[in-house]
Amino acid sequence: MATGLAAVAGAAAARPATAATNYLILTVEQGANQIQRFSNGTADWNGTPGWYWTAPSNANTSPWYRLSDVKRRLTTRWGAVLVSTSSGTSELGGCVAMIRESDKSVVWSAVVPGNPHAIERIERHGVIVTASSRARVFGRTAGDWQNGGGLTVFVPPTPGGLPSMSFADSFGVDFRGARGVWWDDANELLVATGEGELRAYRLVTDAAGSVTGLALETSLGLVGAGHDVQPDYSSDTIFYTVGGDATNPGRGIWETRLQRDTATGAWGFAPPVRIHDWLFTKSFGRLPDGTSFWQDAPTANEWWSDTIGFSGRADSVRTGARFYKARFWSHALT
């Protein structure tokens, strides 16, 4: 198990210059409660997005309240899909959904307790995993929450099918303050962030190939709450964000990578390096041409912004928007 903070390196906030390649960027925008797609080739994101989908509701009495994550994934049965979460409410929980790109229909949805922040779909298995920062106690008083949180794993009856829509038919893995999750298809490990840790899990399967559990392979200690995890699409680097104000020594954007001991086969994380000493960053990634992109929140109490930042050029702005996260649209799993 690898733990601890490495010495801060490259902490200056200067933005590295990089090539300007036209890629598509996916966002969740909480003002209109939409998934929206834009080009990173322009700084003006006003007008109609190139592709968008509107959640069924944005009322604060609905589990669809405040979309909180989105990822585009390819499937055999439904083609390209968008998997998404919404934070929802303490009384109802939040929605998790799979939306077909071609006709914008909701192929699958379920309700997850505990303020779900992130979602992933694991190829070939059809498993959907969500990360929730808190745990709700079902069957008790409305709004009754317990400390904790974790990963919720929805497993289809047959690999590649649709999972059950029932939370009761899923299984959970405790992870206090879980907020980020990403499937590393190259190494076939599930990477997740939460309170004080970055973790990598191996899928546990039965003889039929169905996922029955998650086994912890390795973890990396953080100072503070890990918020998001994304890959570098130009290398094998993994980025994770750690929240907090200037008093948290672990705040900012960090990079690491998964590495395997050739003698023992054991997985571990490389010593982390902080590349940006930023506050309240909700997502950070890197495109195939090396361009970094991110969503910064202005304060601890305002987690959205109207801006998505890009290295090497002016930021992209959509007037009045409440962006929460930004993702690379075109990632196709191998």
Side-chain angles (χ1 to χ4, degrees):
M1 178 180 293
T3 58
L5 289 173
V8 173
R15 298 178 181 177
T18 188
T21 303
N22 187 25
Y23 292 107
L24 297 177
I25 304 298
L26 196 61
T27 68
V28 284
E29 197 282 294
Q30 293 187 344
N33 215 30
Q34 290 181 339
I35 298 169
Q36 299 177 343
R37 189 193 74 191
F38 302 95
S39 167
N40 82 322
T42 175
D44 183 358
W45 281 5
N46 290 299
T48 304
W51 187 96
Y52 68 94
W53 174 84
T54 306
S57 173
N58 197 23
N60 62 5
T61 55
S62 166
W64 289 103
Y65 186 49
R66 289 178 175 164
L67 292 174
S68 55
D69 190 24
V70 64
K71 295 180 178 76
R72 183 176 185 259
R73 295 293 183 253
L74 301 183
T75 72
T76 300
R77 184 180 299 184
W78 301 280
V81 297
L82 290 304
V83 289
S84 182
T85 58
S86 53
S87 295
T89 69
S90 59
E91 289 78 15
L92 297 174
C95 267
V96 297
M98 187 165 72
I99 301 130
R100 185 160 47 206
E101 178 188 327
S102 60
D103 62 3
K104 303 182 181 180
S105 63
V106 177
V107 175
W108 172 87
S109 67
V111 174
V112 176
N115 194 10
H117 272 70
I119 189 168
E120 181 60 287
R121 183 181 186 273
I122 300 177
E123 62 165 337
R124 292 189 296 273
H125 297 280
V127 169
I128 291 180
V129 184
T130 64
S132 297
S133 61
R134 292 184 290 175
R136 183 181 174 199
V137 182
F138 277 113
R140 294 172 63 180
T141 305
D144 187 5
W145 294 77
Q146 63 183 3
N147 292 329
L151 306 178
T152 302
V153 184
F154 292 90
V155 181
T158 57
L162 284 177
S164 168
M165 296 176 66
S166 168
F167 176 76
D169 292 335
S170 63
F171 69 85
V173 176
D174 290 341
F175 192 176
R176 183 181 178 87
R179 289 175 178 266
V181 64
W182 165 69
W183 173 244
D184 179 350
D185 56 301
N187 295 313
E188 296 193 334
L189 293 172
L190 186 72
V191 183
T193 56
E195 186 70 38
E197 278 187 284
L198 181 71
R199 295 180 181 177
Y201 294 94
R202 171 178 49 85
L203 301 182
V204 179
T205 58
D206 62 17
S210 293
V211 176
T212 58
L214 299 178
L216 182 65
E217 284 287 330
T218 187
S219 68
L220 175 71
L222 316 177
V223 176
H227 192 277
D228 193 39
V229 58
Q230 284 204 76
D232 180 349
Y233 291 106
S234 65
S235 76
D236 62 355
T237 299
I238 298 170
F239 300 110
Y240 62 92
T241 64
V242 179
D245 58 23
T247 64
N248 177 26
R251 69 190 179 275
I253 314 302
W254 296 80
E255 65 178 27
T256 183
R257 67 182 184 280
L258 280 162
Q259 51 191 17
R260 197 168 194 177
D261 188 298
T262 56
T264 66
W267 286 99
F269 286 108
V273 176
R274 180 160 58 191
I275 59 172
H276 294 297
D277 187 8
W278 295 350
L279 308 180
F280 314 122
T281 303
K282 300 304 182 183
S283 68
F284 183 96
R286 189 167 289 156
L287 297 169
D289 70 348
T291 301
S292 299
F293 66 107
W294 58 86
Q295 188 271 326
D296 271 332
T299 68
N301 296 321
E302 295 180 5
W303 51 88
W304 61 85
S305 67
D306 64 359
T307 301
I308 301 298
F310 291 92
S311 61
R313 71 158 178 82
D315 298 339
S316 290
V317 178
R318 181 173 176 85
T319 305
R322 291 189 169 191
F323 294 130
Y324 182 56
K325 286 176 181 168
R327 306 295 192 204
F328 177 36
W329 163 274
S330 303
H331 175 47
L333 293 175
T334 56

